[in-house]
Amino acid sequence: MKLFIETFGCQMNISDSEIVASILDGEGYQICGTAAEADLVFLNTCAIRDNAEQRVRKRLRELSGLKRKQPGLMIGVLGCMAERMKEQLLEEELMVDLMAGPDSYRELPAMLLQVSSGQRVANVMLSEAETYEDLSPVRHHSDGVSAFVSIMRGCQNFCAYCVVPYTRGKERSRAPESIVEECRKLMTDGYREVTLLGQNVNSYHWQGDRSLRFPDLLKEVASAVPSMRIRFATSHPKDISDELIATIANTPNVCHHVHLPAQSGSNRILHLMNRKYTREWYLGRVKALREAMPDVAISTDLIAGFCSETEEDHMETLSLMRECHFDFAFMFAYSERPGTSAAEKLADDVPTTVKKRRLNEIITLQQELSLESNKADIGLRFSVLVEGVSKKSDQALFGRTPQNKVVVFPAGDLKAGDTVDVVIHDCTSATLLGKTV
Ligand code: SAH
Ligand code: SF4
Ligand code: F3S
């Protein structure tokens, strides 16, 4: 049987799709490259914003067309949208045979047996313990150079706007030994970089035979795989400690890049969002990071037009961006998610046109900041991990600096997986251009 998995949403979902592939691998399903050749198609879905769900709906309509031509095709919806909508999705999307939430993937083989006997099935039970730590992910999404390793699941921060605590359940940490072992295996298999994943990695806390927090885990992983680059995402500003900053600064193979979602620059909005930090706290953490590591890159997430946001609040977001001088950002218009506390208690009262205008101002400013940040790299030398051939020219390769910036440079006789020193001579707001030295 052939299985095609299409993944939407965040890195966590990419990692989960690799777990699903591993569970079904043992059941005789092989990954294939297109929906057209598959017996079973899974969409691993995202529910973070309405437009993320609309993309999934559009894909389901296309797959329904395919299924009319190939009635034997099985269609499954996995992940956060399945969890958010529960059985309602089966009622609305009649071509869907199966729905499974993020904690029920071990049940997939049994569920597929039911589907093959003509039933439509759903399992959206969340778990307080599931981490899939004993499974070896089948890395069908990977380039063979860089891989994701999930270190924790769930989130219980309950930011007012966010659906994740409802779709992913309670926070739980994975056993350190299984994390270290998975990283070692990646190294043996030739991988050169690993990104440790969680919704809030710095609240990682293993309490088993010993107690371990994120800085300790980072040290253990880094020393177990000294030839690999270590990255991690995402860090919540409320608990990025001095100890963690020192660990990033002092562990040679941990990359000097921190993704630190700010969401807003206004204290009033941060409070309404239930982010549990102030603008001053955030600025203090950015200062501490830059002092400990002058070459650190800091990226962020920002939301425009959250409930009751005024022009003054918006200006504070713009001024926070300037003060922090973010190297990169993901920027979004607020999208109300059913069931969240913002949806229940606050009015989504910023008009769409205003949200879009504010978002555009944020994007324009970030392009300026990214360009300045990239220009400051001209003339400097970086160690670059080669990821592959550049999209624009097969004579050029692309890779990343430790700061996570993409660099394009002439190929020479280098290949993906090599690490090379590159001097930067030019840039755009999105890419550095360099030459190997
Ligand atoms: N766990 C991470 C982020 C997960 S979601 C963290 O806490 O930082 C990724 C980003 O999506 C968030 O940082 C936020 O900027 C954005 N986001 C989440 N819910 C949203 C919503 N309802 N509307 C718009 N953007 C949202
Ligand atoms: Fe969502 Fe907040 Fe949890 Fe991030 S920390 S996943 S934004 S609730
Ligand atoms: Fe989306 Fe779920 Fe990730 S809602 S962002 S796929 S945790």
Side-chain angles (χ1 to χ4, degrees):
M1 296 281 259
K2 288 190 177 153
L3 163 65
F4 181 63
I5 310 184
E6 206 168 310
T7 307
F8 298 78
C10 63
Q11 297 168 332
M12 228 85 64
N13 256 16
I14 297 181
S15 167
D16 280 6
S17 290
E18 297 178 340
I19 301 230
V20 168
S22 146
I23 291 169
L24 291 186
D25 194 31
E27 303 289 323
Y29 285 89
Q30 269 87 48
I31 294 282
C32 67
T34 60
E37 59 185 301
D39 304 294
L40 168 63
V41 176
F42 279 152
L43 301 186
N44 192 3
T45 62
C46 176
I48 198 84
R49 284 168 291 275
D50 185 58
N51 57 13
E53 293 199 357
Q54 294 313 324
R55 272 197 289 278
V56 173
R57 297 278 193 174
K58 179 164 176 279
R59 193 64 185 122
L60 277 174
R61 283 195 295 276
E62 290 164 6
L63 288 175
S64 299
L66 190 63
K67 187 164 171 157
R68 276 184 210 104
K69 285 187 242 154
Q70 293 168 229
L73 179 70
M74 295 182 279
I75 300 177
V77 177
L78 314 181
C80 291
M81 189 174 166
E83 190 63 50
R84 188 185 79 73
M85 298 204 55
K86 310 213 164 31
E87 279 75 4
Q88 195 192 335
L89 191 71
L90 282 187
E91 284 158 28
E92 290 179 14
E93 298 285 350
L94 295 174
M95 290 295 184
V96 171
D97 301 292
L98 171 157
M99 271 179 45
D103 287 345
S104 57
Y105 298 149
R106 284 184 206 267
E107 305 304 322
L108 284 171
M111 292 169 77
L112 285 168
L113 279 179
Q114 286 175 282
V115 172
S116 44
S117 68
Q119 299 174 51
R120 301 176 75 214
V121 290
N123 185 337
V124 289
M125 285 285 286
L126 285 173
S127 152
E128 291 189 10
E130 182 63 89
T131 59
Y132 300 111
E133 63 184 29
D134 54 316
L135 298 172
S136 305
V138 173
R139 300 196 185 272
H140 61 279
H141 280 297
S142 169
D143 53 6
V145 176
S146 185
F148 297 125
V149 169
S150 160
I151 64 165
M152 58 190 296
R153 297 181 72 83
C155 179
Q156 55 207 46
N157 286 314
F158 290 97
C159 301
Y161 51 79
C162 185
V163 76
V164 171
Y166 307 92
T167 62
R168 296 245 159 198
K170 283 200 176 148
E171 191 174 287
R172 64 216 98 124
S173 296
R174 173 180 171 184
E177 290 72 24
S178 80
I179 297 170
V180 168
E181 198 185 314
E182 191 175 329
C183 294
R184 277 214 182 94
K185 180 159 189 310
L186 285 170
M187 186 170 70
T188 318
D189 291 347
Y191 284 84
R192 305 302 316 276
E193 180 177 84
V194 59
T195 305
L196 306 177
L197 289 183
Q199 287 297 354
N200 179 11
V201 285
N202 37 30
S203 72
Y204 175 88
H205 191 191
W206 170 252
Q207 289 161 295
D209 41 346
R210 58 187 180 137
S211 166
L212 209 76
R213 293 194 179 264
F214 186 58
D216 310 311
L217 179 76
L218 206 50
K219 282 180 221 161
E220 287 197 13
V221 169
S223 70
V225 291
S227 63
M228 287 176 89
R229 288 185 168 187
I230 320 289
R231 301 185 182 277
F232 53 93
T234 298
S235 305
H236 193 300
K238 77 176 162 57
D239 35 31
I240 178 149
S241 63
D242 291 339
E243 187 195 356
L244 177 57
I245 294 175
T247 306
I248 304 166
N250 300 332
T251 315
N253 51 334
V254 173
C255 289
H256 287 186
H257 168 227
V258 180
H259 186 63
L260 201 62
Q263 316 297 3
S264 167
S266 152
N267 277 333
R268 193 180 67 81
I269 294 294
L270 286 171
H271 181 70
L272 282 178
M273 286 177 164
N274 192 31
R275 285 293 285 180
K276 304 185 185 91
Y277 55 84
T278 60
R279 175 191 178 95
E280 292 70 30
W281 168 266
Y282 188 92
L283 287 169
R285 293 292 79 193
V286 167
K287 186 159 174 270
L289 280 163
R290 296 221 190 266
E291 272 171 13
M293 292 169 277
D295 67 341
V296 75
I298 301 178
S299 55
T300 200
D301 295 348
L302 295 162
I303 298 178
F306 185 64
C307 308
S308 85
E309 187 187 73
T310 63
E311 226 38 51
E312 288 70 38
D313 294 320
H314 170 59
M315 289 300 168
E316 293 207 60
T317 297
L318 296 175
S319 77
L320 181 89
M321 292 170 70
R322 282 195 198 91
E323 277 189 56
C324 295
H325 218 284
F326 293 121
D327 297 279
F328 183 79
F330 295 102
M331 299 154 284
F332 313 101
Y334 172 57
S335 164
E336 185 176 79
R337 308 312 294 133
T340 58
S341 70
E344 312 259 291
K345 294 189 201 125
L346 302 170
D348 180 12
D349 54 1
V350 178
T352 307
T353 49
V354 176
K355 279 183 193 169
K356 284 199 179 140
R357 195 250 306 147
R358 289 182 189 163
L359 176 61
N360 280 333
E361 289 174 8
I362 289 174
I363 292 173
T364 305
L365 173 57
Q366 185 53 49
Q367 276 169 348
E368 286 168 27
L369 295 175
S370 297
L371 183 62
E372 276 175 33
S373 159
N374 286 353
K375 277 187 178 161
D377 290 341
I378 292 178
L380 301 183
R381 180 184 181 127
F382 293 92
S383 163
V384 172
L385 173 59
V386 184
E387 289 181 25
V389 177
S390 158
K391 283 191 199 91
K392 289 195 185 138
S393 153
D394 56 7
Q395 301 300 305
L397 294 172
F398 79 98
R400 276 169 211 269
T401 66
Q403 290 73 12
N404 212 30
K405 290 187 184 177
V406 174
V407 190
V408 174
F409 52 95
D413 42 14
L414 295 159
K415 58 180 189 321
D418 290 345
T419 302
V420 60
D421 275 1
V422 172
V423 170
I424 308 306
H425 62 78
D426 202 358
C427 70
T428 66
S429 66
T431 317
L432 301 175
L433 302 176
K435 284 202 172 65
T436 55
V437 283

